[in-house]
Amino acid sequence: MTKFLRFATTALFAVGLSTTALAGTLVINSDQSDPAPRKGMEALIEKFKKENPDIDVKLNVFDKESYKTSIRNWLAGESPDVVYWYAGERMKFFVDRKLFEDVSDVWKANKAAEAMPSTVGSVTVDGKQYGVPYTYYNWGLYYRKDLFEKAGIQQPPKTWAEFLDACAKLKASGVAPIVIGSKALWPTAGWFDYLNLRVNGMDYHMKLMAGQVPYNDAGVKAVFDKWAELIRPGYFIENHASYTWQESQPLFYQGKGAMYLIGNFITPEFPADVRDKMDFFQFPKIGDQPMFEDAPTDTVHIPTRAKNKVDAKKFLAFYMRADVQTELNAVLRQIPTNKDAKPTDDRFLQAGYKMLSAAAGTAQFYDRDTDPSLAQEGMKAFQEFMIIPDRGDEILTRLEARRKQVFKQ
């Protein structure tokens, strides 16, 4: 059979679309639609095809937001053979519903636990592995060195007081201190995660994610109080709810905003003419809490209803390899999970890798650590709070009611 590579767009989400093919074809659904990740993924799939000339590959690529809402339908119905997804609670949600295949045999056959010791736990449920982590990455504050210098900021802030002072100086210089695009909601979760980790610590954060702490608890209110110290003075870019994270990037590159709290996946997007002006610093310390970090891990999985599990397991084994992860993460500008893979020599990546190596602990990300339906409501609430901070108590009361529904309390 003639090999082929087929790409789908979000238009393919029309009712009745099947993302499957006849047995013998390996069907892969991916959310790697941004230019750099897609380029890296395509190159690796070509490599996989050359090594496995008897396997036909059909690749369907979707934008991330559509992918998140459609994957449940695929997994419960006519399923592809491999899906790209996320570790943590996002994975466990499908494992608990018996929609992801146990791939412990692939781990054992490839001695993967020895090669990926730091991330095996992120895809393990009750002692079994349900996917393959291939990359993880740091979050932090990327900033314009030239705008800091113009505003009279001598060095990146390390404490909350220094951070507030830097924001005030940037605003006085005529620049928006912080860029964000909250239209797609998830960037707001980065701010909530870091403020909660810095104010309340990892144990509290994970208990909140597990539904064990009320959203109207004093600890969460303290997080909103800190957040308001940035919102009320107007330190975030205006009209942020009108921009996705991609649409907000030009404001950063044009010098209209000075800082961006985001994952390291933004660095391949830096234009050549401003790349040397960019730098990175760790989210500032608040109080006495240790420095915990967000380090989301991306994964590939085999759906339980997949038709071609034999070739799907070959693909997962391929993604475990050090050479494959080295090649892909060089494009992603992220950190490979295989300890024998070589991180690319990139100053942003090295700074993030150094930070994560010294972290007191790492979380996945808000919408990966908590129940998906609660995560969606939570991120809506965060966006609303960023627009109308006076509704803080009301927002947390509504979110608490939703928590009780989700966790049946």
Side-chain angles (χ1 to χ4, degrees):
M1 185 183 294
T2 303
K3 296 185 295 181
F4 63 93
L5 185 64
R6 183 179 301 166
F7 297 100
T9 63
T10 53
L12 292 177
F13 277 95
V15 176
L17 170 71
S18 172
T19 55
T20 62
L22 296 175
T25 297
L26 182 67
V27 182
I28 302 173
N29 281 13
S30 171
D31 63 348
Q32 301 296 304
S33 60
D34 291 329
R38 181 168 181 162
K39 179 181 179 181
M41 177 185 62
E42 290 172 1
L44 283 185
I45 288 178
E46 286 300 320
K47 182 174 183 175
F48 177 77
K49 289 167 62 181
K50 288 180 181 178
E51 293 183 8
N52 299 275
D54 58 326
I55 300 176
D56 294 314
V57 178
K58 176 185 177 184
L59 174 64
N60 301 304
V61 183
F62 307 95
D63 77 88
K64 288 184 180 292
E65 296 310 310
S66 297
Y67 193 93
K68 290 176 184 178
T69 59
S70 300
I71 189 171
R72 294 191 198 188
N73 295 332
W74 303 332
L75 297 180
E78 291 293 310
S79 179
D81 301 308
V82 174
V83 293
Y84 283 67
W85 197 235
Y86 317 116
E89 183 63 29
R90 277 295 182 98
M91 180 200 76
K92 188 175 182 295
F93 179 85
F94 292 132
V95 171
D96 290 346
R97 287 155 180 78
K98 303 187 185 307
L99 295 173
F100 276 166
E101 185 84 356
D102 175 2
V103 293
S104 301
D105 57 337
V106 183
W107 279 77
K108 184 177 180 179
N110 293 276
K111 298 181 179 180
E114 298 174 15
M116 299 185 285
S118 64
T119 54
V120 59
S122 70
V123 292
T124 299
V125 178
D126 296 331
K128 299 177 181 179
Q129 288 73 52
Y130 289 87
V132 171
Y134 62 90
T135 185
Y136 69 111
Y137 54 91
N138 64 281
W139 270 63
L141 284 147
Y142 295 84
Y143 73 101
R144 292 282 299 264
K145 293 184 292 185
D146 56 331
L147 299 182
F148 268 47
E149 183 178 350
K150 179 182 176 183
I153 303 168
Q154 301 302 317
Q155 60 184 10
K158 295 182 178 180
T159 67
W160 188 248
E162 291 174 356
F163 186 66
L164 292 177
D165 181 64
C167 286
K169 288 178 178 177
L170 288 163
K171 188 172 177 64
S173 73
V175 174
I178 306 166
V179 177
I180 185 173
S182 68
K183 185 178 180 180
L185 300 179
W186 61 264
T188 64
W191 281 95
F192 181 83
D193 272 4
Y194 268 100
L195 288 168
N196 197 30
L197 289 168
R198 293 291 186 266
V199 171
N200 296 309
M202 179 66 78
D203 185 61
Y204 182 98
H205 181 71
M206 296 313 297
K207 286 181 178 178
L208 181 69
M209 297 300 96
Q212 298 169 7
V213 175
Y215 269 90
N216 54 3
D217 182 74
V220 183
K221 289 183 179 181
V223 169
F224 268 34
D225 287 343
K226 286 295 180 188
W227 207 343
E229 292 177 14
L230 303 176
I231 299 168
R232 294 188 190 282
Y235 292 157
F236 288 97
I237 197 88
E238 292 183 355
N239 302 317
H240 56 78
S242 301
Y243 306 112
T244 63
W245 84 275
Q246 293 100 331
E247 293 166 346
S248 65
Q249 285 181 60
L251 303 173
F252 193 28
Y253 306 144
Q254 293 163 11
K256 296 178 181 178
M259 296 181 282
Y260 207 135
L261 177 64
I262 199 75
N264 197 64
F265 52 80
I266 195 176
T267 61
E269 310 298 326
F270 290 163
D273 61 336
V274 298
R275 189 172 182 83
D276 288 343
K277 299 176 182 178
M278 297 291 184
D279 214 331
F280 169 85
F281 67 93
Q282 186 176 28
F283 196 96
K285 187 175 181 62
I286 300 176
D288 297 326
Q289 289 293 342
M291 299 297 272
F292 301 106
E293 305 295 334
D294 266 344
T297 304
D298 291 348
T299 50
V300 286
H301 305 269
I302 300 175
T304 305
R305 294 173 178 265
K307 290 183 172 62
N308 189 359
K309 293 181 182 179
V310 172
D311 291 337
K313 288 185 177 183
K314 290 180 182 178
F315 187 79
L316 263 61
F318 174 79
Y319 252 55
M320 290 175 168
R321 284 167 28 187
D323 63 314
V324 170
Q325 291 196 11
T326 296
E327 183 177 335
L328 179 58
N329 281 279
V331 177
L332 297 177
R333 296 289 203 278
Q334 294 178 182
I335 304 167
T337 60
N338 189 312
K339 64 182 179 61
D340 297 320
K342 298 178 181 179
T344 186
D345 186 17
D346 175 89
R347 64 188 176 93
F348 298 107
L349 181 63
Q350 294 300 324
Y353 180 74
K354 181 179 179 181
M355 182 186 74
L356 291 182
S357 297
T362 59
Q364 283 294 311
F365 194 71
Y366 182 81
D367 69 347
R368 303 187 186 195
D369 280 328
T370 196
D371 180 274
S373 61
L374 181 60
Q376 188 66 16
E377 292 302 315
M379 292 185 294
K380 288 179 183 177
F382 302 154
Q383 184 204 54
E384 181 181 356
F385 179 68
M386 290 189 68
I387 298 170
I388 313 174
D390 289 343
R391 291 183 184 172
D393 287 345
E394 175 189 341
I395 289 169
L396 290 178
T397 297
R398 294 201 313 264
L399 199 49
E400 170 57 13
R402 181 60 179 154
R403 181 194 71 88
K404 289 180 177 178
Q405 290 177 346
V406 170
F407 291 100
K408 296 179 173 56
Q409 296 179 0

